[in-house]
């Protein structure tokens, strides 16, 4: 059994979490990465087994416009600060996954500027997707600050493999591959086997939003993808009192589990907070589903406290869902304690039933506002029954195979 089979991630966006300036350079750089250190025991007490970190590499603004993926962002600190974080995680048994951006780079990336200056025959030119007639880089999804790599080139393969290996050598356990959906899976199939030769236990999570998840996994060689279909069904079913959508998504989810184990979540750094979409009770109910179905779960930092925040389509529109955290967990407000306790209990329930990682579900009862599903172990020797009732505030009850209540949502 792989270590990933027991993974439950606490997902952190470090630039926001530590209060780093995003669009304004602000004061001189500080070792903000160390602000994560007092939160490691909090992550363990929550029940997480590792940190799924957003971008930590040198970038122009939000971290996805990278300038140097071999260097820690000066707004967060330096290699020493990163090494101390890795050591502190290791001492506690926490794994680390980093966010790698290999679809694109920042438009001010030094090598890109050098290629544009020196022309198509320059050493740097092969790394980037450049329209040489117009002498401009092709953009990622139309964003003027994000320039595409040329994923057909050997240079892009070499560069990506080198970054992945560099930080795996430094002690991390895996990678989230940002915007993996925007890259031909054949590119990943060239990169990942090279990296696995040296790091066979590394875990690779591809960010995929729509489309054929199993097909992408098979063609690319990633281990898992982000299960956005289930995320959408969770908040939409709870908000609209339409549990048929959740049942449809779980039926699809069963099919995915035949070939790979998806990353399941109720929120992340790119979407409106679950408590804003479905309320605090809805956030707990969504966690109950995530923790009682197959998958490799992640909890976005703050969701376990009932944080709210709405993503908006504008400059700075992510700020509300990527807030600064207190320097210590003791600085959290008291109003999040009930949601936090429920998350702890549900993660604990999952840990006591490790077979849930690959479990499948079957519908036992279904209306718009009531849904009972059975989660069954692969060998058929165990199961849980999960009841969701939306007649009033969302309420979930989990029973074991004998009918005993293991957990019930407090209304």
């Amino acid at each position: 059994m792989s270590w990933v089979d027991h993974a439950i991630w606490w997902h952190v966006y470090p630039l926001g979490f530590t209060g780093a300036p995003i669009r304004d350079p602000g004061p001189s750089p500080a070792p903000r990465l160390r602000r994560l250190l007092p939160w490691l025991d909090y992550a363990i007490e929550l029940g997480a087994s590792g940190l799924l970190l957003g971008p930590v590499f040198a970038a122009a603004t939000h971290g996805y416009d990278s300038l140097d993926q071999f260097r820690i962002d000066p707004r967060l600190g330096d290699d020493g600060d990163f090494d101390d974080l890795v050591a502190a995680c290791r001492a506690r048994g926490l794994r680390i996954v980093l966010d790698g951006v290999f679809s694109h780079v920042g438009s001010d990336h030094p090598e890109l500027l050098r290629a544009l200056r020196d022309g198509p025959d320059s050493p740097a030119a092969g790394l980037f997707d450049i329209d040489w007639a117009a002498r401009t880089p092709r953009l990622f999804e139309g964003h003027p600050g994000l320039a595409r790599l040329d994923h057909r080139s050997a240079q892009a393969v070499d560069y990506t493999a080198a970054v992945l290996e560099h930080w795996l050598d430094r002690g991390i356990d895996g990678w989230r591959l940002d915007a993996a959906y925007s890259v031909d899976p054949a590119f990943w199939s060239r990169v990942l086997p090279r990296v696995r030769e040296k790091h066979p236990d590394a875990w690779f999570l591809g960010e995929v939003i729509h489309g054929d998840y199993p097909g992408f996994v098979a063609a690319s060689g990633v281990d898992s993808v982000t299960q956005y279909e289930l995320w959408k069904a969770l908040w939409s079913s709870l908000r609209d009192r339409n549990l048929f959508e959740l049942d449809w998504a779980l039926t699809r989810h069963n099919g995915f589990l035949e070939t790979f184990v998806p990353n399941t979540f109720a929120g992340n750094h790119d979407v409106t907070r679950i408590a804003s979409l479905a309320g605090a009770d809805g956030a707990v109910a969504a966690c109950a589903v995530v923790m009682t179905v197959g998958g490799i779960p992640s909890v976005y930092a703050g969701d376990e406290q009932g944080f709210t925040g709405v993503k908006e389509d504008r400059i700075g529109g992510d700020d509300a869902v990527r807030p600064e955290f207190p320097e210590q967990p003791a600085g959290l407000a008291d109003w999040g304690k009930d949601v936090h306790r429920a998350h702890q209990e549900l993660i604990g329930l999952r840990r006591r039933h490790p077979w849930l990682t690959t479990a499948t579900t079957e519908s036992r009862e279904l209306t718009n506002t009531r849904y009972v599903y059975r989660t069954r172990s692969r060998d058929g020797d165990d199961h849980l029954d999960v009841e969701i009732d939306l007649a009033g505030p969302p309420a979930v009850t989990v029973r074991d195979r004998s009918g005993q209540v293991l957990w019930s949502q407090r209304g």
Side-chain angles (χ1 to χ4, degrees), residues 230-243 266-267 271-287 289 303 306-310 339 388-390 392-396 409:
L230 181 57
W231 162 79
K232 163 60 171 62
L234 280 171
W235 65 259
S236 182
S237 295
L238 293 167
R239 185 193 65 179
D240 298 340
R241 301 295 196 265
N242 177 20
L243 289 166
V271 300
T272 293
R273 292 273 186 181
I274 182 66
S276 289
L277 291 166
D281 288 334
V284 172
C287 178
V289 175
D303 282 355
F307 279 21
T308 58
V310 176
V339 176
I388 305 174
D389 190 342
L390 303 182
V396 181
Q409 188 166 359

Side-chain angles (χ1 to χ4, degrees), residues 3-303:
W3 64 266
V4 180
D5 293 335
H6 303 287
I8 297 176
W9 301 108
W10 193 48
H11 182 185
V12 175
Y13 175 74
L15 290 171
F17 189 100
T18 63
I22 302 299
R23 287 167 297 279
D24 181 351
S28 60
R32 292 183 182 88
L33 202 58
R34 293 184 178 276
R35 286 186 57 176
L36 286 173
L37 296 176
W39 290 86
L40 299 183
D41 290 337
Y42 171 92
I44 291 171
E45 291 165 5
L46 178 64
S49 63
L51 302 184
L52 174 59
L53 296 179
V56 298
F57 308 123
T61 60
H62 46 60
Y64 293 96
D65 46 1
S66 61
L67 301 176
D68 185 351
Q69 290 193 91
F70 291 99
R71 182 166 63 102
I72 297 298
D73 196 304
R75 293 171 292 176
L76 296 174
D78 58 23
D79 278 0
D81 301 311
F82 178 78
D83 289 342
D84 286 349
L85 176 62
V86 172
C89 286
R90 283 288 168 267
R92 292 164 173 80
L94 289 170
R95 302 278 182 167
I96 299 179
V97 166
L98 293 184
D99 206 340
V101 187
F102 305 107
S103 164
H104 52 272
V105 298
S107 59
D108 290 327
H109 193 287
E111 290 298 306
L112 174 62
L113 298 180
R114 186 173 294 112
L116 291 171
R117 181 194 67 201
D118 295 345
D121 296 325
S122 64
L127 183 57
F128 305 102
D129 188 2
I130 296 173
D131 179 350
W132 287 109
R135 215 177 184 87
T136 58
R138 294 184 173 89
L139 303 179
F140 170 71
E141 297 182 350
H143 296 289
L146 305 177
R148 296 279 295 178
L149 297 184
D150 183 355
H151 298 98
R152 300 162 297 181
S153 73
Q155 198 166 340
V157 171
D158 292 343
Y159 164 76
T160 301
V163 174
L164 296 175
E165 290 177 358
H166 175 80
W167 296 100
L168 287 165
D169 288 344
R170 294 282 293 275
I172 71 165
D173 300 282
W175 286 91
R176 175 189 179 271
L177 304 174
D178 180 68
Y181 63 85
S182 71
V183 178
D184 187 336
F187 173 78
W188 304 116
S189 72
R190 295 168 67 192
V191 171
L192 298 184
R194 284 175 49 172
V195 179
R196 291 188 197 276
E197 286 180 8
K198 188 174 181 183
H199 297 280
D201 295 329
W203 183 65
F204 295 96
L205 167 66
E207 184 195 16
V208 180
I209 301 174
H210 310 293
D212 179 5
Y213 293 166
F216 184 89
V217 170
S220 66
V222 300
D223 297 295
S224 183
V225 298
T226 48
Q227 224 297 36
Y228 269 95
E229 285 188 12
L230 181 57
W231 162 79
K232 163 60 171 62
L234 280 171
W235 65 259
S236 182
S237 295
L238 293 167
R239 185 193 65 179
D240 298 340
R241 301 295 196 265
N242 177 20
L243 289 166
F244 284 91
E245 183 178 359
L246 179 57
D247 178 65
W248 178 89
L250 287 178
T251 300
R252 293 263 299 169
H253 192 65
N254 285 341
F256 302 152
L257 286 159
E258 292 297 324
T259 56
F260 73 100
V261 184
N263 165 226
T264 52
F265 56 93
N268 64 31
H269 66 295
D270 279 330
V271 300
T272 293
R273 292 273 186 181
I274 182 66
S276 289
L277 291 166
D281 288 334
V284 172
C287 178
V289 175
V290 170
M291 296 302 163
T292 58
V293 301
I296 299 169
S298 57
V299 176
Y300 181 49
D303 282 355

